[in-house]
């Protein structure tokens, strides 16, 4: 489906071409996160946006359709401007976008991306693209950032309670597809999570990573039960439902997950998995992952683990924490968030239970319960060239100092301690500018792959 990029904007943008000073030639804008709930942001999503929206030309049919709609909407329309883009630039947007490498953690209050028009007749185009570009960046960047922050927390508990961090890439599994607002949201958010972890049930994220970042297979999953496939057997045949899962999916080197709270979780653990099916669980040669799926997450997880350890035994690792046998583990997929995960792991730690015993499945909290204000993302114009002279532009509202914007053409560089910081482009001197031209006039200048992004976003282990 072809996108009409002219309509990928806010209504009020349509009148802005009439609002600039006479002699305007170039407008330069930038994106930053102005603080919020995380100290740094994992920049991600630009290449996906460029490939999806900016490599195809605007057509005269797009112009006609946009003009009709916006006039009916009560707005002026810059037909001459868009026709110039078709006539002079083949319909490709005369813009240059420079950005930090995707996957880079950028401290808050720093420029991540800068965009400027390359044709003086299109001075109005930079800010016209704000709506589409800012949305394309803030959402996947926020998902990738939150996912990475959770990874840090889980890694911390593994360092304290486990022998190693080998299981970390699969400790947070994406359950968020059904809770996303759209297929595109699931694609972008699911892909953003995979920057940090390798477990997912969001197929759209795999498709996006392959399509936009050349990832042959960015994530993995296992056969798993849902309540429907368990309750279809009826309560009186619950054990048969579980046995069928073992028949179908268990075996040496194999892993399967079974939701076990359809009726009575404790009965399922004590009398079915730990009773009638105990020998089969012990001797599969693979791993059964039980999913308790209702109740208070902290209480349910710790009690489930205690009961499983009493039934199936445990060993103590080198740090003195208890670990279930390799053939059984737990995944918690209900009530999971960046706030509840540390609480669950802390409760486990206090009971001398290793974080090795558990994996988390995160749904709406991972892909949906986020907005632009989580990290206070903004795109602002910072410089304009009028009649051949660049001058800084900015906002500095007395009623909200946090919204003060940056001035002039910008650069991102690194100090002697390795810390990223923003400077005026004119003050860069001989330092390296980490904002690299990525897109210019309809061409993707730098193509990055998923492995490179993951490498930049890695955490110290």
């Amino acid at each position: 489906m072809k996108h009409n990029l002219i309509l990928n904007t806010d209504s009020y943008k349509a009148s802005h071409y009439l609002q600039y000073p006479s002699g305007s030639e170039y407008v330069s804008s930038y994106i930053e996160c102005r603080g919020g709930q995380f100290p740094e942001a994992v920049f991600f999503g630009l290449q996906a946006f460029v490939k999806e929206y900016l490599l195809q030309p605007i057509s005269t049919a797009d112009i006609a359709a946009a003009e009709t709609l916006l006039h009916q909407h009560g707005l002026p329309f810059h037909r001459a401007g868009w026709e110039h883009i078709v006539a002079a630039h083949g319909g490709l947007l005369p813009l240059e976008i420079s950005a930090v490498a995707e996957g880079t953690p950028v401290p808050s209050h720093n420029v991540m991306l800068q965009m400027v028009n390359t044709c003086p007749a299109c001075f109005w185009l930079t800010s016209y693209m704000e709506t589409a570009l800012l949305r394309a960046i803030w959402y996947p960047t926020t998902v990738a950032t939150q996912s990475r922050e959770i990874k840090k927390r889980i890694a911390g508990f593994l360092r304290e309670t486990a022998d190693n961090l080998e299981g970390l890439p699969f400790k947070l599994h994406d359950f968020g597809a059904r809770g996303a607002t759209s297929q595109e949201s699931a694609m972008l958010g699911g892909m953003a999570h995979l920057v940090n972890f390798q477990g997912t049930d969001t197929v759209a994220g795999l498709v996006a990573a392959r399509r936009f970042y050349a990832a042959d297979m960015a994530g993995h999953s296992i056969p798993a039960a849902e309540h429907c496939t368990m309750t279809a057997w009826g309560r009186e045949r619950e054990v048969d439902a579980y046995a069928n899962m073992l028949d179908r999916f268990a075996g040496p080197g194999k892993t399967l997950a079974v939701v076990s709270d359809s009726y009575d979780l404790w009965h399922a653990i004590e009398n079915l998995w730990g009773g009638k099916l105990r020998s089969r669980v012990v001797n599969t040669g693979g791993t059964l992952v039980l999913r308790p799926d209702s109740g208070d997450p902290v209480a349910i997880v710790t009690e489930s683990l205690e009961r499983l350890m009493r039934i199936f035994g445990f060993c103590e690792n080198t740090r003195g924490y208890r670990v279930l046998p390799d053939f059984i583990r737990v995944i918690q997929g209900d009530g999971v968030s960046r706030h509840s995960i540390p609480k669950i792991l802390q409760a486990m730690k206090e009971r001398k239970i290793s974080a090795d015993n558990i994996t988390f499945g995160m749904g709406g909290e991972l892909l949906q319960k986020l907005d632009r204000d989580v990290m206070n993302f903004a795109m602002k114009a910072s410089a304009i060239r009028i009649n051949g002279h660049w001058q800084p532009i900015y906002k500095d509202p007395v009623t909200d100092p946090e919204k003060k914007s940056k001035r002039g053409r910008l650069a991102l560089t690194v100090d002697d301690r390795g810390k990223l910081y923003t400077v005026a482009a004119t003050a860069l001197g001989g330092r390296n500018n980490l904002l690299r031209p990525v897109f210019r006039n309809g061409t993707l200048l730098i193509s990055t792959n998923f492995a490179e992004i993951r490498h930049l976003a890695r955490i110290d282990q």
Side-chain angles (χ1 to χ4, degrees):
M1 174 179 148
K2 186 180 184 302
H3 307 284
N4 188 340
L5 195 59
I6 303 172
L7 297 175
N8 192 348
T9 192
D10 288 314
S11 299
Y12 78 147
K13 295 288 188 182
S15 67
H16 290 178
Y17 74 99
L18 299 169
Q19 300 177 28
Y20 288 90
S22 176
S24 295
E25 299 167 325
Y26 298 93
V27 173
S28 181
S29 296
Y30 72 98
I31 290 177
E32 70 171 331
C33 62
R34 299 180 295 195
Q37 299 177 25
F38 306 114
E40 58 187 5
V42 179
F43 181 73
F44 181 65
L46 176 59
Q47 184 167 293
F49 175 73
V50 169
K51 286 187 173 182
E52 182 72 5
Y53 292 100
L54 300 188
L55 302 185
Q56 299 299 318
I58 298 293
S59 68
T60 55
D62 293 331
I63 295 172
E67 181 178 41
T68 297
L69 187 147
L70 290 172
H71 279 172
Q72 290 176 342
H73 189 43
L75 294 168
F77 181 71
H78 195 17
R79 185 180 186 95
W82 291 107
E83 287 181 337
H84 170 80
I85 290 174
V86 171
H89 303 285
L92 297 171
L93 300 189
L95 294 169
E96 180 179 280
I97 301 174
S98 299
V100 69
E102 295 193 47
T104 302
V106 180
S108 298
H109 304 288
N110 281 287
V111 58
M112 303 175 179
L113 176 152
Q114 187 167 235
M115 179 166 66
V116 63
N117 56 295
T118 60
C119 171
C122 298
F123 62 88
W124 51 273
L125 184 60
T126 301
S127 288
Y128 191 94
M129 291 300 298
E130 174 191 0
T131 306
L133 183 58
L134 181 59
R135 181 177 56 223
I137 299 302
W138 83 253
Y139 175 66
T141 295
T142 302
V143 174
T145 300
Q146 176 181 239
S147 175
R148 184 171 181 266
E149 290 298 317
I150 294 172
K151 188 177 185 180
K152 290 180 185 177
R153 298 300 301 272
I154 296 174
F157 281 98
L158 285 170
R159 291 189 190 99
E160 294 177 336
T161 71
D163 288 338
N164 56 63
L165 275 68
E166 290 178 1
L168 181 59
F170 293 94
K171 285 297 184 185
L172 185 63
H173 200 90
D174 178 3
F175 283 179
R178 72 188 61 184
T181 53
S182 67
Q183 173 75 343
E184 186 174 61
S185 296
M187 289 177 68
L188 295 174
M191 176 174 60
H193 169 70
L194 290 170
V195 168
N196 306 292
F197 290 93
Q198 295 180 38
T200 186
D201 264 30
T202 300
V203 176
L206 305 175
V207 174
R210 177 175 291 181
R211 177 179 176 187
F212 298 123
Y213 294 95
D216 181 55
M217 181 46 60
H220 303 277
S221 189
I222 58 173
E226 68 175 12
H227 285 105
C228 175
T229 61
M230 297 298 94
T231 57
W233 293 74
R235 184 164 189 163
E236 68 283 356
R237 297 186 64 199
E238 184 179 10
V239 70
D240 295 330
Y242 297 158
N244 181 66
M245 290 295 294
L246 297 175
D247 292 339
R248 301 288 187 179
F249 306 112
K254 297 180 179 181
T255 302
L256 69 152
V258 185
V259 63
S260 300
D261 74 323
S262 296
Y263 310 108
D264 183 343
L265 174 64
W266 310 130
H267 170 71
I269 290 175
E270 297 279 351
N271 303 314
L272 303 184
W273 295 117
K276 295 179 180 179
L277 299 173
R278 186 181 187 282
S279 63
R280 294 195 60 186
V281 172
V282 172
N283 296 309
T284 61
T287 303
L288 168 68
V289 184
L290 295 190
R291 178 158 67 95
D293 202 46
S294 54
D296 174 70
V298 174
I300 294 299
V301 167
T302 53
E303 181 63 19
S304 295
L305 289 168
E306 291 284 11
R307 294 191 185 214
L308 289 171
M309 287 180 173
R310 175 170 50 78
I311 294 167
F312 293 104
F314 61 89
C315 65
E316 279 194 7
N317 61 24
T318 59
R319 299 188 180 277
Y321 288 84
R322 293 179 288 162
V323 184
L324 283 164
D326 291 342
F327 57 75
I328 191 151
R329 288 291 185 270
V330 167
I331 183 169
Q332 177 64 23
D334 181 60
V336 173
S337 71
R338 72 174 184 267
H339 306 294
S340 66
I341 288 174
K343 293 178 181 178
I344 295 168
L345 291 173
Q346 180 61 34
M348 290 171 56
K349 179 183 172 184
E350 290 170 0
R351 290 174 177 245
K352 302 299 287 186
I353 300 174
S354 173
D356 261 339
N357 293 288
I358 191 166
T359 295
F360 297 98
M362 192 168 164
E365 292 278 356
L366 181 64
L367 302 188
Q368 187 60 36
K369 292 186 180 180
L370 301 166
D371 58 42
R372 186 165 63 95
D373 292 333
V374 168
M375 302 189 70
N376 294 326
F377 266 93
M379 179 171 169
K380 296 298 175 187
S382 60
I384 188 168
R385 199 177 94 168
I386 302 175
N387 295 324
H389 299 285
W390 279 102
Q391 60 190 59
I393 56 177
Y394 62 96
K395 62 180 289 187
D396 189 6
V398 67
T399 52
D400 192 348
E402 286 296 314
K403 290 188 175 182
K404 182 178 180 179
S405 63
K406 293 175 169 53
R407 309 181 186 193
R409 292 278 288 160
L410 305 171
L412 184 70
T413 191
V414 62
D415 64 18
D416 295 337
R417 297 168 298 171
K419 183 178 180 181
L420 277 60
Y421 69 103
T422 301
V423 297
T426 54
L428 192 59
R431 288 169 291 183
N432 183 37
N433 186 1
L434 300 180
L435 299 182
R436 313 168 302 166
V438 174
F439 170 86
R440 186 185 299 121
N441 302 337
T443 299
L444 181 67
L445 303 176
I446 296 175
S447 183
T448 188
N449 63 49
F450 214 62
E452 293 167 338
I453 295 168
R454 279 176 162 168
H455 178 74
L456 289 174
R458 71 193 185 281
I459 65 172
D460 294 331
Q461 297 189 21

